[in-house]
Amino acid sequence: MRTELKVMPSLQRKIDGLKALAEQQVERKLVDMAVDAVGLGTIRVPVDTGAYVTSFSFNVGAGRPRGKSSKNKPRGNDRAMRQKGMDNLMEDISKIPSLLDTTSIVLRNNSPHAVAVEYGGRGWKTSPYFVFTKLRNIYG
């Protein structure tokens, strides 16, 4: 026994439109997260040399995380380094083959001092920033 269902072209166009809308929403959420991660949004993120904010990366599956040391780097130039970190994350997003077919996207920071930025550390002069904790609270 068998039955056949034909999808009308108008229904297929609506399905395609919904898929496009869903993909736009996922991309928008990733961009919003990137903005907050590098400190261009509502989350306070430290920038001394820029090593931390330029060490964020979005990874899908295997891949080498971005990680930069602050050793011997010039200080200051906060806005430029934040923008460089944002540019890195936007490039990562553009490399994802299909946002709808991806089941897991990981935001990472592989700078040597990422744990100290998040939780504070020995000799740390300020309170911990809890960047990833705040991102999880906002974006789930």
Side-chain angles (χ1 to χ4, degrees), residues 30-47:
L30 290 173
V31 170
D32 289 347
M33 187 182 299
V35 166
D36 280 333
V38 299
L40 291 171
T42 58
I43 295 177
R44 186 169 158 249
V45 178
V47 175

Side-chain angles (χ1 to χ4, degrees), residues 10-29:
S10 61
L11 178 59
Q12 187 60 52
R13 282 191 299 275
K14 288 177 185 174
I15 290 170
D16 293 342
L18 288 172
K19 285 180 181 178
L21 182 62
E23 190 165 35
Q24 289 170 2
Q25 292 298 321
V26 171
E27 183 175 1
R28 179 77 246 156
K29 194 167 205 172

Side-chain angles (χ1 to χ4, degrees), residues 61-83:
R64 185 166 181 218
R66 198 175 282 117
K68 297 182 176 47
S69 171
S70 59
K71 241 182 193 160
N72 300 320
K73 295 228 172 160
R75 302 206 181 287
N77 210 3
D78 294 6
R79 183 74 180 171
M81 296 313 283
R82 290 180 196 280
Q83 188 57 53

Side-chain angles (χ1 to χ4, degrees), residues 31-140:
V31 170
D32 289 347
M33 187 182 299
V35 166
D36 280 333
V38 299
L40 291 171
T42 58
I43 295 177
R44 186 169 158 249
V45 178
V47 175
D48 188 14
T49 64
Y52 179 78
V53 294
T54 58
S55 292
F56 280 105
S57 58
F58 280 117
N59 297 96
V60 178
R64 185 166 181 218
R66 198 175 282 117
K68 297 182 176 47
S69 171
S70 59
K71 241 182 193 160
N72 300 320
K73 295 228 172 160
R75 302 206 181 287
N77 210 3
D78 294 6
R79 183 74 180 171
M81 296 313 283
R82 290 180 196 280
Q83 188 57 53
K84 184 174 183 194
M86 185 66 191
D87 293 345
N88 288 342
L89 290 172
M90 292 303 294
E91 185 179 334
D92 292 344
I93 292 169
S94 72
K95 289 180 180 177
I96 299 171
S98 170
L99 291 173
L100 290 181
D101 295 330
T102 302
T103 58
S104 177
I105 301 171
V106 178
L107 177 67
R108 301 173 80 170
N109 189 305
N110 206 43
S111 70
H113 54 290
V115 173
V117 170
E118 184 73 10
Y119 302 111
R122 204 176 86 226
W124 196 249
K125 296 176 185 116
T126 62
S127 299
Y129 287 88
F130 298 111
V131 175
F132 281 90
T133 301
K134 291 172 184 173
L135 289 171
R136 267 191 299 278
N137 287 343
I138 295 169
Y139 300 101

